[in-house]
Amino acid sequence: MLNNQNSKDETLGYKANYDLIDKHWAKMRTALPEKDQLLFNQFFSLTTPGSTVLDIGCGSGNPIAKQMSKKGFNIHGVDRSAQLLKQAQRNIPNANFKQAEIEEFDVQRFSNNHTLGGIVCWDVLFHIPRIQQAKAIEKMAKSMKVNTPIILSSGGSETDIPPFRDLMFGVEFFYDAFPIPELIHLCESFGLTLITKSMVNVPDGKRDKGRVGLIFTKHPS
């Protein structure tokens, strides 16, 4: 693990390049872990059947977008990886996919043109610096109607861990996350109400920094 590298700015060159590991990722990412799945089952129950769900960082579409499609949701996926999006289109031919940077995608414009029933941002935020995470969450929150649910995941530490880099299938990836209390407070400051918090995997005190899964809804102004 390449933690706390000696550089003046850990966030430089942070872009995650899943194109380099797309085949490995597709083989590994076939089903959600049990705790993730339980959270998504709750998210599905909060989302109007047949509505449009925006999946930000959709990857190959498997397993999350595929599940949603089978449940009758209208799926729009966004990802920066061209190779994963090709897989996604094959996996879910009736869904819509767009290549875009998460930080730059115009969620408000999308919501103005669609009846947005929910937002998924799963295992995505920790690949971009915190300042970009905050801007992305704010854009998502502003685009949501009252009672619209959003499900997201982030690093699972209660304390502040500096940005770091680690290897996945031999390729270096950037990671950063707000401490959990700070992330929740940030989301609440953008008009979101916390529905569920779940430690989908607990930090092991070594390589694994943990993950937290959160479901919010948009509360009335």
Side-chain angles (χ1 to χ4, degrees):
M1 181 174 181
L2 306 178
N3 199 354
N4 297 326
Q5 289 184 339
N6 295 322
S7 69
K8 293 182 179 180
D9 187 349
E10 270 298 340
T11 68
L12 290 175
Y14 67 85
K15 294 294 185 179
N17 194 347
Y18 276 85
D19 284 348
L20 297 178
I21 63 167
D22 63 300
K23 293 181 176 60
H24 295 290
W25 185 252
K27 289 180 181 178
M28 181 185 76
R29 190 79 163 183
T30 58
L32 285 172
E34 182 178 359
K35 290 183 179 180
D36 295 45
Q37 187 64 63
L38 289 173
L39 267 185
F40 271 92
N41 290 345
Q42 183 179 8
F43 172 76
F44 297 147
S45 73
L46 295 169
T47 309
T48 304
S51 63
T52 294
V53 176
L54 179 61
D55 188 353
I56 298 177
C58 63
S60 68
N62 193 21
I64 294 171
K66 182 178 283 188
Q67 280 193 36
M68 293 191 293
S69 179
K70 288 180 178 179
K71 290 181 177 294
F73 295 110
N74 180 24
I75 308 303
H76 286 257
V78 178
D79 204 279
R80 77 179 305 265
S81 169
Q83 294 303 317
L84 288 181
L85 287 174
K86 288 178 181 178
Q87 293 182 27
Q89 200 65 72
R90 291 194 297 268
N91 289 332
I92 317 164
N94 62 334
N96 297 283
F97 296 100
K98 177 181 177 62
Q99 186 176 12
E101 302 291 343
I102 295 163
E103 313 93 302
E104 299 169 7
F105 181 70
D106 192 340
V107 189
Q108 187 64 61
R109 183 178 179 182
F110 178 88
S111 68
N112 290 340
N113 295 324
H114 299 83
T115 303
L116 188 56
I119 297 178
V120 174
C121 190
W122 197 253
D123 291 351
V124 178
L125 289 173
F126 47 56
H127 282 315
I128 61 178
R130 292 181 210 187
I131 188 170
Q132 300 291 351
Q133 293 178 33
K135 291 176 181 177
I137 295 169
E138 183 177 20
K139 288 194 297 183
M140 287 184 262
K142 285 182 176 179
S143 73
M144 296 162 60
K145 303 291 191 297
V146 173
N147 295 327
T148 301
I150 179 171
I151 184 168
L152 57 87
S153 63
S154 182
S157 176
E158 296 285 341
T159 59
D160 195 347
I161 296 176
F164 64 94
R165 298 172 190 275
D166 200 0
L167 298 177
M168 181 162 48
F169 299 115
V171 176
E172 187 176 272
F173 283 81
F174 169 87
Y175 296 90
D176 193 14
F178 288 103
I180 295 172
E182 190 173 342
L183 174 62
I184 292 173
H185 177 74
L186 179 71
C187 292
E188 291 175 339
S189 74
F190 296 143
L192 301 177
T193 299
L194 181 64
I195 302 299
T196 302
K197 168 192 167 187
S198 174
M199 289 301 299
V200 289
N201 66 290
V202 178
D204 63 7
K206 299 176 183 178
R207 183 178 185 274
D208 190 347
K209 302 299 186 292
R211 278 188 312 137
V212 63
L214 303 167
I215 299 176
F216 294 89
T217 58
K218 181 69 173 287
H219 66 63
S221 301

